[in-house]
Structure formats: structure tokens, C-alpha cells
Amino acid sequence: MQSFGTQGRLEDERMLKGRGRYVSDWNLPRQAHAHFLRSDRPHARIVSIDTAAALAMPGVIAVLTGSDMAAAGAQGLPAAAPVKGRDGSEQPKVHHPALAQGKVRHVGEPVVLVIAETRPQAQDAAEAVLVEYEDLPAVIGAQEALAPGAPQLHDNISGNLLLDFAGGDEAATKAAFERAARVVSLSAYHTRVVSNPMEPRACTGVYDTAGDMYQLYSCTQGASAMRGQLAAVLGVAPEKVRVIAEEVGGGFGVRFNAYPEYCAVLIAAKKLGRPVKWVGTRSEVFLSDEQARDVVHRGEIALDESGRILGMRFDFVCNLGAYVAFTGTFVNTVNLVNVASGVYDVQAIHVRARLALTNTVPTAAYRGAGRPVSSYAIERLVDQAAWELKLDPAEFRRRNLVPKSAFPYKIATGFEYDCGDFEGVLADALKAADWNGFEARRAASAKRGRLRGRGIANYIEATGSGGFAPYDQVQVAWDDEARITLRATSHNHGQGHETVFAQIVAGALGVPMDSIRLRTADPDMNLTGNPTGGSRSLHGVGSVMLLASEEVIKKGMALAADDLEVAQADVEFVDGRYRVKGTDREVAITALAKKHRGALDVDLKDKKVGSTFPNGCHIAEVEIEPDTGTVEIVSYLACDDAGNIINDQLVEGQMQGGITQGAGHILGEQALYDRDTGQLLSGSFMDYPMPRAILVDGLRVTHHPVPTKTNPLGAKGVGEAGVTGSMPCIMNAILDALRGAGVTHFDMPASPHRVWQALVEAKSGNPRAMAVEQR
């Protein structure tokens, strides 16, 4: 594989010089501008909507409501249903309209679409729309929603329970617990967060009457996946929809799905016969972008007399919000069981997940997509067990790891880890973090009046299982100057696809990286493939890029043999040139591409690689200032097995970002709703703290690679590893520090006030479990 060297990312010059083109930068002839009037209450019947005053205002073209969407034949937004309930029942459908119909079910739900000649005119007119509501009782927390007598959101969802899912072997797990010498339990709450990509959502809808074709310029993680969802709402074949994008300012999972606004704008464009553009605000990000996590969980671990784990069981109560997002069920079922026992050799596992509907913004995939929730539950529980057994947490983990000799290893929920060296990863991490020298550092911190704690987490996650598309289509096309255009559906939004895909292809074909460009969402593209997500782009799409390059080389063999007037068997390909073996007669692949225009083009379909299981050991140390409750991460060591690393710079960046994102969640991020009014209390950056680059001090990233054979690159996913490992690691470190002051249980977020409050209560002799109130 070609070395990346010091060239830097191919994207960087364009981005640093401000030449990137984002969705709001697109402007089309005759475009109108849209503004959405949103619900200001969490649960209410819509009695009437009076649009007369708005229609009479200057520049107003149309005012559309849910009835207009229904009249246009719009269907509800689709939701994936990957599993059945534990009683064998199918996941019921929940109607999710483009604009509210009959009821509103969360603050921020779009109710009316106002279209005008300018954006300010549309916004002004929206204020003239009169909506009469009949308020209904609301429910915010998932546990409250499942309680008898709770307000019902949807008539067809009894008790607000969408799905009661189970994985693993309940009987075997029960038997393991019955023979256990000791059982340790832990309950915790994984708080709700707002993703907050740098670029707020925006879109422009276009309808081509001649071709009966819809075009949507939008933020996306993958055109193919969004195209399919939009087609389902519009009632047309996916081939009749094009999703177009260039730069996308962050995704994290919440740019994966189609949104109600996108559907409404497309329907409006068809109705009006002109493009309609909408640009959202940061406030709308908080009120209407998919949110994430919000899971209450209880875990139990069964142990024998020697501290070996006999079994584990987990009970998750997951808050889906008011509607079921396309990925909402998947992240709260499949991704909770595919690594249910973590890196440990456990023969009995049972996982239960109850998915509840509430009067909050829908939740969906967000960096890690359920795997950080599972990892957090496992690693917090394992740490609790070590503490109760009075064992070194690293030693307790070591004696329970899956040994290297056991691979391939099938876990109790049926998934199979193909390879790994968990013991080696742990040993490397302990050495690099100077685990045995911690007590001296704790004593030094104590002299300065600080509480010092140490946390460890051994995570594993399943990545790249294939996504929702049957294969990853890749195209390689040459132009007259032998420049290459790569096409795929995995869209870049900061990961560096343009660089690493070019690196793979350039390394295989022996051409310069800067002669290659990547396109993922052009107007004329109609490829099948998976979006960016699940930490799969490199080993999923990247592997197919390598296979496509090999097809190019094979095609070139016949052309080179003809040009060199020899048999194909006498030709070899080395460093971008076809050479007659044992001679200096040769022809460059670029020369063949120029001479035989289109002959070296490849359209590779029906290729898809299997899952990978990246894993690692993270170790953090924190200091807490007792007088203020301020937590400082003073050192962080990540030792990860990402398989073969194709580009060190990109891997380092992904790990730094993921670790910091996890730290931000632990130390302060929380989407907090008022229990009585259903209003979002943390609806701006004044109330919602975003992590900064300096949040994790002393961050070091090391590697212990074990290449996988499930793909030709030998690579494993890395995009979500940082957050999956960092959340339990940092929380374990915080609790380790607090235990020295008498605090025995503490939950995220570890904001200064909550940490200080826990310390004050412990000092007063009246400690209480600082579990955050679910809201």
C-alpha cells in the first residue's frame, strides 16, 4: 500500500481556502425560500390552522399544512424494522408525517411550511399563521411512558411500547446466576445528547416535470440511503430521486436519514413548479435534528469464587422520542447485542431492550449508534465488580478476557469475533500508561488538594456489517488526460474519504494521488451502496475500491499485451507500468488509458465485505477540585486494534475526535427537557456545553494491530472507537476519584455542580446516589 507520507489530505487546501461548497451555498434560478412553523408544545390536538393572514403578506407564494401533504399522496417517513419482539411480534408502524397531521407530539415538530420570494418574507409570514391547539398530557421519560396510565402518543402503540426485544439465552443466563458465588449489579442512565454538526440542516428541492424526477440538494452521509427513504415518502421508485451534495459539515449519524422537512420541500417544489430552498438555524438543530442515547440500563454480573464471570444480563429502557427514526430501532436492539459480552469470555448472556415512545425529539444513530451504550453498561459493571471484590480493575479484566488462542470466538448472542489479541492490547496499554505508578501520582495530587482517579475500559465494537444496501457499488472512470474519477455512495463529511480512497487506488495503480478525484452525490449518479456510518467506509468501500483497481489492472493486461505484441502470460504489472517479463519493454497504464478511452473503466457491483471487530484498552486519569467540583482529564492513553492502518493521520484524527466527543458527553452534554412543560431547557450553546479540543489533556494514541481476513485491506473500523472506549473509561476514573471522598455511585453528566454536590453530601454523612434524573 502506498505510503501517505507528509503530503497532507487532498481535501485540506480546498477547505482551508474557503472553496468548499455546502448546501446553503447552492442557489438555483427562480428558487423560492421556505420557513417552517413548529410546534411550541409537546402534545396537543390541532384544532384549526388559519393561513389567510400569512398568504396576504408580501412575497408569500404558498402556505402548506399536513392536509396538503396528504392530498399530494405523501406517505409517512419509513423506519427500519431489523428485529422482532421477544414474543415474535413484528415492529408496528408509526405514522410520521412530513407536516403534523391531527396532533403534534414534540416541541419543534414542523406544522406549517411557508414559502415566499425571500427567506425573511417567509419567516415574517410564519408569524401570522394562527394554530389553535387542544393541549394533551405529555410524557418525557421512557420509564414514565411505560408506566400504567401514561399519556398515549399513538393510538396503535399500546402503552407507548414500540418493541420489547431480547437477545441471548435467558435460560442459560438464569442458570449461571443461580450457581454464582456472588452477583454484582449496577444501574445507570446514559443521558440524551444533541449531535450538533457544524453545518445546520438545509436543503433545496427541485422537481423536473419532463423527467418526472425529484432532486434534493441536502446534507447527507450517503445519497443512496436517503434516496430510498425519500422515494418511500413520495411514492415513487428510487430511480426517480436524486440526492446531491458536495461538502457536508459533519454527520455523526444524524445526517443519515431523511427528515420531514426534506420531504415537505420536495412536495412543495413539485406543487409550485420551482425550486424551494430551506436553510435551518442552530435553534432548529436543537429542536428538530435527531437526538441520541437517553437510555436507562441495569446490569448484573454473576461471578464464581475465583472472580471469573459466569454470566451477564442487561435490561435497557430506550427513549425513541415521538416517532421512530429510520435507524432508531436498529441502534437500540442489534447494536446492543452484537458485542454483548464485550472482550470477556462469558458463556451466558441475556439482553432485554424496551423501546418507548415519548413527547421528545426522535432519537437515532449518533457516533457509535448503540455500541457506546453497550460498552458503557459492560465496562461500568465490570469496574463495579472489581471494586466490590477489592481486585485491581486491570487484573480482574485480565483474568476474564477471551484468550488469543480462542479466535474465532463466538459470543453467547451468536455473533463471532474473527480475530483479536485482547491480552496483548491490555498489556501494552498498562505499560504505556504506567499503571503501577498511579498511587504515587495520586499522592502528589492529594498534596495539592486534588482528588485523583484512574479509569480503565476494554471496549469492542462490531463495524461494517454491510449496512442497509446489498452491496457497495464503486466506479472507476478515466478521462482523456488519464485522470481518474472515483464514484461511491459513502459521503465524506470530515473523515478524509477523498484522501484515503485515492491513496488505495493510487497505490494499486501506481498513479499520482492528485490525479484522482472522488464523487459521491452528483446529479447524474444512481449508484447502490451504503452511506458513511458504522465505521465501515474504509474497510467496506475502501476494500471495493481496491478490488475495482485490481479489475482495472486485469483489463489493462490484454491491452498491454496487444500494444507490446506479446502474450498476456508474458506481461507483469509493476508500479503503474505493464512490462514484458525479463525485459525493459513497457507501457504505462496512463498511456493505455489515453489511447483506449473508456477501456479501463470499471463499474464494480455485488461486492461487500464482512464485519470487523475493532477493540482497545483506554486508560484515563482525572483530577477533581473538591471546592468547585471541576473535573480535569490529566492524562489519557488509548491502545487500539484497528487492524492494518492505511493512513496514520486520519486514524489519529478519528481517535482524537471520538475520545473528545465521549469526554464531552461525560463531562456536561445533556439534552434536558422540563418534565412538566415538555420544553427543551438546553436549547442553545448558552445551556449546552460543547467539548473543546483542550478537554482531554495528555492524550496519546497507540496501536496493537491484528489484521482481519474479512476484507482485502486487513483493516477494521475506527471512526467510532474513540467514543465507545472513552465514555466508560472517563466515568470509571471520575468515580474512582470520588470514592476516596465517600461517594459510591455517580452518573453522567459530571458537571462541576453535580460533582460538587456529591462531594458535599458525602462529607455531610448523608450521601445519596447521584444518578441523574431522567427527563
Side-chain angles (χ1 to χ4, degrees):
M1 192 65 60
Q2 176 175 305
S3 173
F4 183 68
T6 59
Q7 177 177 336
R9 304 194 319 161
L10 297 181
E11 301 92 335
D12 287 352
E13 181 179 0
R14 179 176 75 252
M15 305 305 292
L16 291 171
K17 292 183 177 180
R19 296 203 306 267
R21 195 178 194 187
Y22 293 85
V23 178
S24 61
D25 295 325
W26 293 93
N27 288 293
L28 304 178
R30 298 183 62 247
Q31 72 182 15
H33 295 266
H35 181 85
F36 287 92
L37 177 66
R38 301 181 181 276
S39 173
D40 61 358
R41 58 206 67 200
H43 200 195
R45 289 190 180 88
I46 300 173
V47 178
S48 64
I49 301 177
D50 185 351
T51 64
L55 283 167
M57 293 186 69
V60 173
I61 301 167
V63 181
L64 305 180
T65 67
S67 60
D68 295 301
M69 298 294 111
Q75 305 299 306
L77 274 73
V83 297
K84 295 182 179 181
R86 61 184 188 142
D87 61 356
S89 60
E90 298 286 347
Q91 176 181 310
K93 292 183 178 180
V94 174
H95 184 61
H96 187 183
L99 295 174
Q101 297 175 3
K103 288 174 68 174
V104 293
R105 293 180 173 86
H106 69 86
V107 173
E109 181 173 359
V111 179
V112 178
L113 170 58
V114 179
I115 303 164
E117 296 293 347
T118 68
R119 188 178 177 189
Q121 287 174 333
Q123 187 172 354
D124 288 345
E127 296 179 3
V129 175
L130 299 177
V131 183
E132 181 182 352
Y133 293 105
E134 177 189 339
D135 287 324
L136 298 170
V139 60
I140 303 304
Q143 291 177 310
E144 296 170 340
L146 298 180
Q152 297 296 289
L153 272 74
H154 300 271
D155 293 341
N156 67 319
I157 308 298
S158 177
N160 298 317
L161 179 63
L162 179 82
L163 198 69
D164 188 350
F165 167 78
D169 190 329
E170 187 172 14
T173 305
K174 181 180 179 182
F177 274 80
E178 287 175 347
R179 68 176 187 272
R182 183 164 189 161
V183 173
V184 175
S185 63
L186 179 73
S187 296
Y189 174 48
H190 207 111
T191 54
R192 176 183 284 243
V193 290
V194 179
S195 176
N196 271 312
M198 285 192 297
E199 179 189 20
R201 276 190 299 128
C203 68
T204 298
V206 180
Y207 178 72
D208 175 16
T209 304
D212 187 26
M213 181 78 68
Y214 292 91
Q215 291 184 342
L216 183 76
Y217 297 77
S218 72
C219 315
T220 181
Q221 291 179 223
S224 179
M226 188 174 288
R227 184 178 70 225
Q229 295 174 43
L230 292 170
V233 176
L234 299 169
V236 300
E239 294 75 20
K240 292 294 182 181
V241 180
R242 294 288 187 272
V243 176
I244 303 161
E246 288 190 7
E247 316 296 353
V248 174
F252 307 116
V254 300
R255 297 292 181 259
F256 184 103
N257 300 328
Y259 279 86
E261 293 89 346
Y262 301 168
C263 305
V265 162
L266 284 170
I267 291 169
K270 181 177 181 180
K271 183 179 180 69
L272 300 179
R274 59 190 293 189
V276 177
K277 181 177 182 177
W278 168 68
V279 179
T281 65
R282 181 59 57 182
S283 293
E284 287 176 296
V285 169
F286 278 96
L287 288 173
S288 62
D289 273 21
E290 292 162 347
Q291 297 177 359
R293 316 297 199 224
D294 200 348
V295 179
V296 178
H297 47 85
R298 175 179 173 80
E300 293 180 292
I301 189 168
L303 305 163
D304 68 12
E305 295 85 352
S306 65
R308 290 279 302 175
I309 301 172
L310 300 175
M312 291 178 172
R313 56 190 177 200
F314 298 95
D315 189 349
F316 297 91
V317 180
C318 310
N319 192 333
L320 294 182
Y323 299 99
V324 186
F326 187 81
T327 54
T329 299
F330 186 88
V331 303
N332 290 300
T333 55
V334 176
N335 277 5
L336 295 180
V337 299
N338 54 20
V339 289
S341 53
V343 295
Y344 307 108
D345 183 11
V346 183
Q347 300 304 311
I349 296 286
H350 186 253
V351 176
R352 183 186 184 190
R354 285 168 287 170
L355 281 55
L357 295 162
T358 68
N359 295 113
T360 59
V361 173
T363 59
Y366 169 67
R367 198 168 194 168
R371 288 159 292 181
V373 174
S374 177
S375 175
Y376 187 82
I378 294 167
E379 287 302 297
R380 289 292 316 281
L381 179 61
V382 167
D383 225 58
Q384 182 72 19
W387 182 67
E388 292 191 17
L389 292 172
K390 296 181 173 56
L391 287 174
D392 178 285
E395 169 57 25
F396 178 64
R397 286 170 167 82
R398 186 200 60 75
R399 67 177 61 173
N400 284 289
L401 293 174
V402 176
K404 188 175 183 179
S405 60
F407 292 98
Y409 179 84
K410 181 170 286 189
I411 67 173
T413 51
F415 296 84
E416 185 175 273
Y417 301 162
D418 67 298
C419 65
D421 180 14
F422 303 156
E423 296 165 312
V425 170
L426 174 62
D428 284 359
L430 294 177
K431 182 179 180 180
D434 186 23
W435 181 266
N436 293 331
F438 171 71
E439 291 303 329
R441 295 190 293 275
R442 192 202 291 268
S445 296
K447 288 181 180 180
R448 295 185 288 108
R450 302 292 183 94
L451 301 171
R452 193 176 188 111
R454 174 182 63 181
I456 183 173
N458 289 68
Y459 77 91
I460 187 170
E461 55 176 0
T463 69
S465 59
F468 295 97
Y471 55 84
D472 290 297
Q473 184 177 359
V474 163
Q475 294 177 344
V476 180
W478 300 74
D479 68 11
D480 293 335
E481 299 300 320
R483 293 185 296 255
I484 298 173
T485 297
L486 306 176
R487 292 187 175 88
T489 63
S490 182
H491 200 82
N492 175 59
H493 45 274
Q495 294 87 351
H497 293 175
E498 190 172 335
T499 295
V500 74
F501 291 164
Q503 181 181 350
I504 291 168
V505 174
L509 300 182
V511 300
M513 283 179 59
D514 57 12
S515 69
I516 301 172
R517 69 171 191 152
L518 173 68
R519 308 303 297 168
T520 56
D522 281 349
D524 61 345
M525 283 181 58
N526 185 28
L527 274 63
T528 296
N530 289 288
T532 298
S535 300
R536 69 176 310 277
S537 293
L538 173 67
H539 64 270
V541 180
S543 290
V544 182
M545 290 283 184
L546 179 59
L547 295 174
S549 300
E550 292 171 351
E551 288 296 316
V552 171
I553 294 171
K554 289 179 183 178
K555 280 190 167 190
M557 281 290 186
L559 298 176
D562 287 344
D563 272 34
L564 296 169
E565 298 178 338
V566 296
Q568 286 191 43
D570 295 327
V571 179
E572 61 182 356
F573 183 76
V574 180
D575 296 332
R577 294 178 176 275
Y578 294 93
R579 180 180 302 130
V580 179
K581 297 176 183 177
T583 75
D584 59 358
R585 295 178 60 212
E586 62 182 19
V587 60
I589 192 171
T590 52
L592 292 177
K594 292 177 182 178
K595 182 177 180 180
H596 305 279
R597 182 72 170 89
L600 294 182
D601 292 356
V602 167
D603 184 1
L604 193 59
K605 302 178 182 178
D606 301 325
K607 297 293 183 182
K608 185 173 69 173
V609 301
S611 297
T612 71
F613 294 90
N615 60 88
C617 178
H618 290 197
I619 297 172
E621 294 185 18
V622 303
E623 282 190 342
I624 297 175
E625 185 180 275
D627 292 341
T628 64
T630 301
V631 177
E632 181 182 358
I633 301 169
V634 294
S635 72
Y636 196 102
L637 184 283
C639 181
D640 299 281
D641 169 16
N644 285 334
I645 295 174
I646 309 304
N647 188 300
D648 289 289
Q649 182 187 33
L650 297 182
V651 169
E652 182 91 6
Q654 288 292 310
M655 291 304 302
Q656 290 176 354
I659 290 167
T660 304
Q661 205 160 347
H665 193 159
I666 292 295
L667 295 179
E669 287 190 64
Q670 185 182 11
L672 196 62
Y673 285 84
D674 185 272
R675 195 178 288 270
D676 298 321
T677 66
Q679 299 293 327
L680 181 64
L681 300 178
S682 50
S684 75
F685 290 144
M686 293 292 290
D687 307 296
Y688 190 96
M690 290 293 286
R692 289 176 165 83
I694 60 173
L695 187 62
V696 182
D697 199 10
L699 173 57
R700 289 175 293 153
V701 177
T702 63
H703 304 289
H704 186 103
V706 179
T708 178
K709 294 182 180 179
T710 62
N711 65 73
L713 293 172
K716 302 176 182 179
V718 74
E720 294 154 315
V723 69
T724 304
S726 67
M727 294 191 68
C729 176
I730 294 169
M731 196 48 151
N732 285 339
I734 292 170
L735 186 54
D736 182 55
L738 291 176
R739 282 180 178 135
V743 178
T744 58
H745 183 76
F746 189 83
D747 245 339
M748 66 174 88
S751 61
H753 175 74
R754 296 190 71 254
V755 172
W756 173 83
Q757 186 179 11
L759 289 168
V760 169
E761 291 179 355
K763 188 175 182 180
S764 69
N766 186 32
R768 62 187 177 93
M770 283 296 293
V772 68
E773 182 181 19
Q774 185 194 8
R775 306 184 79 165

mmCIF file of all heavy atoms in Angstrom, residues 423-441:
data_model
loop_
_atom_site.group_PDB
_atom_site.id
_atom_site.type_symbol
_atom_site.label_atom_id
_atom_site.label_comp_id
_atom_site.label_asym_id
_atom_site.label_seq_id
_atom_site.Cartn_x
_atom_site.Cartn_y
_atom_site.Cartn_z
ATOM 1 N N GLU A 423 -5.493 -9.692 25.324
ATOM 2 C CA GLU A 423 -4.467 -9.699 26.374
ATOM 3 C C GLU A 423 -3.288 -8.811 25.984
ATOM 4 O O GLU A 423 -2.754 -8.072 26.830
ATOM 5 C CB GLU A 423 -3.998 -11.137 26.610
ATOM 6 C CG GLU A 423 -5.093 -12.055 27.145
ATOM 7 C CD GLU A 423 -4.731 -13.527 27.035
ATOM 8 O OE1 GLU A 423 -4.289 -13.946 25.942
ATOM 9 O OE2 GLU A 423 -4.900 -14.242 28.033
ATOM 10 N N GLY A 424 -2.892 -8.877 24.727
ATOM 11 C CA GLY A 424 -1.788 -8.045 24.269
ATOM 12 C C GLY A 424 -2.116 -6.569 24.292
ATOM 13 O O GLY A 424 -1.274 -5.733 24.662
ATOM 14 N N VAL A 425 -3.349 -6.223 23.902
ATOM 15 C CA VAL A 425 -3.786 -4.824 23.939
ATOM 16 C C VAL A 425 -3.750 -4.304 25.371
ATOM 17 O O VAL A 425 -3.255 -3.198 25.644
ATOM 18 C CB VAL A 425 -5.203 -4.692 23.343
ATOM 19 C CG1 VAL A 425 -5.771 -3.299 23.608
ATOM 20 C CG2 VAL A 425 -5.180 -4.972 21.843
ATOM 21 N N LEU A 426 -4.277 -5.091 26.307
ATOM 22 C CA LEU A 426 -4.287 -4.684 27.713
ATOM 23 C C LEU A 426 -2.863 -4.502 28.235
ATOM 24 O O LEU A 426 -2.556 -3.493 28.898
ATOM 25 C CB LEU A 426 -5.040 -5.724 28.551
ATOM 26 C CG LEU A 426 -5.020 -5.514 30.072
ATOM 27 C CD1 LEU A 426 -5.691 -4.199 30.451
ATOM 28 C CD2 LEU A 426 -5.689 -6.678 30.790
ATOM 29 N N ALA A 427 -1.996 -5.443 27.945
ATOM 30 C CA ALA A 427 -0.618 -5.350 28.434
ATOM 31 C C ALA A 427 0.088 -4.115 27.892
ATOM 32 O O ALA A 427 0.789 -3.405 28.641
ATOM 33 C CB ALA A 427 0.157 -6.619 28.034
ATOM 34 N N ASP A 428 -0.089 -3.838 26.611
ATOM 35 C CA ASP A 428 0.527 -2.644 26.021
ATOM 36 C C ASP A 428 0.006 -1.368 26.669
ATOM 37 O O ASP A 428 0.765 -0.429 26.933
ATOM 38 C CB ASP A 428 0.253 -2.597 24.515
ATOM 39 C CG ASP A 428 1.117 -3.578 23.729
ATOM 40 O OD1 ASP A 428 1.933 -4.279 24.347
ATOM 41 O OD2 ASP A 428 0.956 -3.633 22.495
ATOM 42 N N ALA A 429 -1.309 -1.327 26.913
ATOM 43 C CA ALA A 429 -1.906 -0.123 27.498
ATOM 44 C C ALA A 429 -1.412 0.100 28.921
ATOM 45 O O ALA A 429 -1.077 1.234 29.310
ATOM 46 C CB ALA A 429 -3.428 -0.244 27.477
ATOM 47 N N LEU A 430 -1.366 -0.957 29.717
ATOM 48 C CA LEU A 430 -0.921 -0.819 31.112
ATOM 49 C C LEU A 430 0.508 -0.302 31.177
ATOM 50 O O LEU A 430 0.851 0.554 32.007
ATOM 51 C CB LEU A 430 -1.022 -2.163 31.824
ATOM 52 C CG LEU A 430 -2.440 -2.732 32.016
ATOM 53 C CD1 LEU A 430 -2.375 -4.108 32.670
ATOM 54 C CD2 LEU A 430 -3.299 -1.791 32.846
ATOM 55 N N LYS A 431 1.356 -0.810 30.293
ATOM 56 C CA LYS A 431 2.748 -0.367 30.279
ATOM 57 C C LYS A 431 2.859 1.091 29.843
ATOM 58 O O LYS A 431 3.558 1.891 30.479
ATOM 59 C CB LYS A 431 3.557 -1.261 29.348
ATOM 60 C CG LYS A 431 5.034 -0.904 29.295
ATOM 61 C CD LYS A 431 5.791 -1.860 28.372
ATOM 62 C CE LYS A 431 7.273 -1.500 28.306
ATOM 63 N NZ LYS A 431 8.019 -2.427 27.396
ATOM 64 N N ALA A 432 2.167 1.448 28.770
ATOM 65 C CA ALA A 432 2.267 2.817 28.250
ATOM 66 C C ALA A 432 1.690 3.837 29.222
ATOM 67 O O ALA A 432 2.157 4.983 29.278
ATOM 68 C CB ALA A 432 1.542 2.903 26.903
ATOM 69 N N ALA A 433 0.675 3.437 29.993
ATOM 70 C CA ALA A 433 0.035 4.366 30.936
ATOM 71 C C ALA A 433 0.719 4.370 32.301
ATOM 72 O O ALA A 433 0.293 5.116 33.187
ATOM 73 C CB ALA A 433 -1.438 3.995 31.093
ATOM 74 N N ASP A 434 1.761 3.573 32.479
ATOM 75 C CA ASP A 434 2.428 3.437 33.778
ATOM 76 C C ASP A 434 1.399 3.144 34.872
ATOM 77 O O ASP A 434 1.284 3.852 35.869
ATOM 78 C CB ASP A 434 3.223 4.705 34.113
ATOM 79 C CG ASP A 434 4.053 4.552 35.388
ATOM 80 O OD1 ASP A 434 4.362 3.401 35.768
ATOM 81 O OD2 ASP A 434 4.367 5.582 36.023
ATOM 82 N N TRP A 435 0.655 2.078 34.651
ATOM 83 C CA TRP A 435 -0.421 1.695 35.572
ATOM 84 C C TRP A 435 0.094 1.532 37.011
ATOM 85 O O TRP A 435 -0.556 1.988 37.963
ATOM 86 C CB TRP A 435 -1.048 0.398 35.065
ATOM 87 C CG TRP A 435 -2.191 -0.134 35.873
ATOM 88 C CD1 TRP A 435 -2.136 -1.058 36.877
ATOM 89 C CD2 TRP A 435 -3.564 0.230 35.754
ATOM 90 N NE1 TRP A 435 -3.395 -1.299 37.383
ATOM 91 C CE2 TRP A 435 -4.289 -0.530 36.706
ATOM 92 C CE3 TRP A 435 -4.262 1.103 34.925
ATOM 93 C CZ2 TRP A 435 -5.676 -0.429 36.863
ATOM 94 C CZ3 TRP A 435 -5.646 1.204 35.068
ATOM 95 C CH2 TRP A 435 -6.337 0.449 36.027
ATOM 96 N N ASN A 436 1.229 0.889 37.164
ATOM 97 C CA ASN A 436 1.731 0.602 38.509
ATOM 98 C C ASN A 436 2.262 1.835 39.230
ATOM 99 O O ASN A 436 2.480 1.792 40.438
ATOM 100 C CB ASN A 436 2.826 -0.464 38.432
ATOM 101 C CG ASN A 436 2.280 -1.805 37.990
ATOM 102 O OD1 ASN A 436 1.117 -2.129 38.234
ATOM 103 N ND2 ASN A 436 3.119 -2.607 37.321
ATOM 104 N N GLY A 437 2.460 2.926 38.505
ATOM 105 C CA GLY A 437 2.942 4.142 39.160
ATOM 106 C C GLY A 437 1.847 5.095 39.583
ATOM 107 O O GLY A 437 2.123 6.223 40.005
ATOM 108 N N PHE A 438 0.592 4.642 39.490
ATOM 109 C CA PHE A 438 -0.521 5.558 39.740
ATOM 110 C C PHE A 438 -0.568 6.057 41.181
ATOM 111 O O PHE A 438 -0.847 7.245 41.415
ATOM 112 C CB PHE A 438 -1.847 4.872 39.405
ATOM 113 C CG PHE A 438 -3.051 5.673 39.832
ATOM 114 C CD1 PHE A 438 -3.386 6.844 39.172
ATOM 115 C CD2 PHE A 438 -3.828 5.270 40.915
ATOM 116 C CE1 PHE A 438 -4.487 7.596 39.567
ATOM 117 C CE2 PHE A 438 -4.925 6.018 41.320
ATOM 118 C CZ PHE A 438 -5.252 7.181 40.642
ATOM 119 N N GLU A 439 -0.331 5.209 42.168
ATOM 120 C CA GLU A 439 -0.500 5.632 43.557
ATOM 121 C C GLU A 439 0.416 6.804 43.910
ATOM 122 O O GLU A 439 0.035 7.684 44.693
ATOM 123 C CB GLU A 439 -0.270 4.458 44.505
ATOM 124 C CG GLU A 439 -1.349 3.394 44.442
ATOM 125 C CD GLU A 439 -2.750 3.939 44.719
ATOM 126 O OE1 GLU A 439 -2.871 4.913 45.496
ATOM 127 O OE2 GLU A 439 -3.719 3.405 44.153
ATOM 128 N N ALA A 440 1.600 6.837 43.320
ATOM 129 C CA ALA A 440 2.486 7.980 43.560
ATOM 130 C C ALA A 440 1.886 9.252 42.986
ATOM 131 O O ALA A 440 1.962 10.335 43.594
ATOM 132 C CB ALA A 440 3.857 7.712 42.943
ATOM 133 N N ARG A 441 1.265 9.144 41.823
ATOM 134 C CA ARG A 441 0.630 10.323 41.223
ATOM 135 C C ARG A 441 -0.611 10.735 42.017
ATOM 136 O O ARG A 441 -0.898 11.928 42.148
ATOM 137 C CB ARG A 441 0.257 10.028 39.764
ATOM 138 C CG ARG A 441 1.463 9.789 38.875
ATOM 139 C CD ARG A 441 1.112 9.731 37.402
ATOM 140 N NE ARG A 441 0.307 8.571 37.045
ATOM 141 C CZ ARG A 441 0.797 7.375 36.763
ATOM 142 N NH1 ARG A 441 2.106 7.156 36.841
ATOM 143 N NH2 ARG A 441 -0.013 6.379 36.423
#
